[in-house]
Amino acid sequence: VDAVVAADGYSYERTRLDSYLPHNSSADEVAGGGNAGVSPVTGRALGFGGGVGNNHLRNLLEAWQRTGGKGGPEWRSAVEEELKCPITMSRMHDPVVSCDGHSYERAAIIRWLRRHPTSPKSNLVLGSKALVTNRALAAIARIYGEEEAPYGEEEVPEPLPGTASDSGLRGSEAGEGAGG
């Protein structure tokens, strides 16, 4: 399964999303010559076409298949590993996905991007600093406990200049997508 996150923060299978989007553009996008499409979930314009790889969800789906859908220790171990922020090595509570396809704790990646133009995972220059809420990973984090937020409100950094206007870079909710 090639899981991707679209600008609405929802995860989709890439081939299904790619076949859906060309036939489901908003009137504004068509008038403007664009073809990013509308969210299959919200019906709102996505802001960019396609999606960004959701590496953490893909890894979890592969682990689920390996366990035959029965869960158990191997599944639990995979969940714990995929819910770790690559920057803090702590469990994510507010995961966002970057254009590199990796998910990070929102506050940690904002801090990272203030100092670095690169991916914390690959050290390659990121094509965009836009972040999109990874709703699937956030739901998994809630299901598997530790719902308590890791940061107090005063510790969450302000958004990066020129990326989104809201105080948490909440992807499409702020009019920004991972592709732009």
Side-chain angles (χ1 to χ4, degrees):
V1 173
D2 188 7
V4 296
V5 177
D8 60 1
Y10 290 97
S11 293
Y12 304 94
E13 201 284 321
R14 184 181 303 275
T15 56
R16 290 181 185 250
L17 183 63
D18 288 347
S19 65
Y20 168 87
L21 290 177
H23 307 289
N24 294 282
S25 295
S26 69
D28 292 338
E29 288 176 320
V30 172
N35 192 24
V38 296
S39 165
V41 177
T42 67
R44 294 176 32 200
L46 287 174
F48 67 91
V52 175
N54 190 344
N55 298 341
H56 294 260
L57 181 60
R58 184 185 65 234
N59 293 343
L60 284 171
L61 292 171
E62 289 170 0
W64 185 252
Q65 290 172 341
R66 278 194 311 276
T67 65
K70 295 180 182 170
E74 181 184 352
W75 166 248
R76 183 66 182 193
S77 177
V79 168
E80 291 303 320
E81 188 60 31
E82 294 305 322
L83 290 178
K84 269 188 210 168
C85 173
I87 298 171
T88 66
M89 298 309 290
S90 298
R91 179 184 274 252
M92 290 184 276
H93 299 275
D94 187 12
V96 293
V97 67
S98 164
C99 68
D100 66 354
H102 295 287
S103 292
Y104 305 94
E105 180 63 34
R106 184 182 307 274
I109 189 66
I110 290 172
R111 285 187 190 107
W112 173 273
L113 292 174
R114 287 183 186 278
R115 295 184 306 266
H116 309 279
T118 58
S119 162
K121 286 286 282 188
S122 68
N123 209 30
L124 296 174
V125 174
L126 294 169
S128 169
K129 289 187 176 184
L131 305 169
V132 177
T133 299
N134 190 335
R135 294 174 189 267
L137 212 55
I140 292 167
R142 281 191 303 275
I143 290 168
Y144 283 89
E146 293 193 23
E147 295 180 26
E148 189 176 312
Y151 301 103
E153 277 299 313
E154 68 283 352
E155 295 182 62
V156 176
E158 291 299 312
L160 297 166
T163 55
S165 59
D166 75 330
S167 63
L169 287 177
R170 300 206 185 274
S172 62
E173 297 157 2
E176 291 288 326

